[in-house]
Amino acid sequence: MIRWILALLLVFSTYNPSGYSWYHWLTEAETKIDPLIALAGVLLLIGWVIYVRASARSLGVIGALLALAFFGTLVWALIHYQVISLSNTTLLTYIVLVVISAVMATGLSWSHIRRRMSGQLDVDDRDED
């Protein structure tokens, strides 16, 4: 749950439709070369690299596609059964951002989940002699 909250924080800090995000801060700045905007951008980039790289290594291409398919189908079902409307683009944007963070959190947590289910460890690092 903590990994998902951190992923939500990362995604929504980068962009969200409310107007309070790094993207809006950058586009509304009088001078585009501002050290605080650059520092925040670098910190966000570090967070994105950590999450995306860990998710890619943990899930792989097939796992990432399956995670996106799962969450995409869930959104499709919500639209199909008229729980949400396609005309509400703000809500759809929020849902897409939550889906992105859920896929990233799944990727970051997948090795732990697999170890609990199977008892097997994932080891990516090896010693080169």
Side-chain angles (χ1 to χ4, degrees):
M1 196 62 146
I2 292 171
R3 290 179 181 96
W4 187 35
I5 292 169
L6 291 174
L8 282 169
L9 182 65
L10 177 65
V11 170
F12 279 85
S13 295
T14 304
Y15 175 80
N16 65 68
S18 72
Y20 297 102
S21 68
W22 180 82
Y23 170 80
H24 293 96
W25 187 22
L26 175 67
T27 57
E28 295 170 4
E30 290 180 20
T31 60
K32 300 296 182 206
I33 303 174
D34 183 276
L36 288 179
I37 294 173
L39 178 64
V42 169
L43 290 174
L44 287 172
L45 184 61
I46 290 169
W48 277 98
V49 167
I50 289 169
Y51 263 91
V52 170
R53 188 159 186 245
S55 295
R57 289 180 71 153
S58 180
L59 292 175
V61 174
I62 294 174
L65 289 174
L66 287 173
L68 285 171
F70 171 77
F71 290 114
T73 306
L74 185 62
V75 172
W76 178 27
L78 292 173
I79 293 169
H80 179 75
Y81 292 109
Q82 298 175 351
V83 175
I84 59 175
S85 171
L86 283 175
S87 62
N88 191 347
T89 56
T90 303
L91 178 61
L92 286 174
T93 303
Y94 278 114
I95 290 171
V96 167
L97 295 173
V98 169
V99 166
I100 290 169
S101 66
V103 170
M104 290 179 5
T106 302
L108 203 63
S109 303
W110 187 246
S111 290
H112 301 292
I113 295 167
R114 184 174 28 213
R115 183 180 66 220
R116 294 261 177 158
M117 290 181 355
S118 67
Q120 296 177 346
L121 291 174
D122 290 334
V123 180
D124 289 332
D125 298 329
R126 53 190 165 124
D127 293 331
E128 298 288 333
D129 291 340

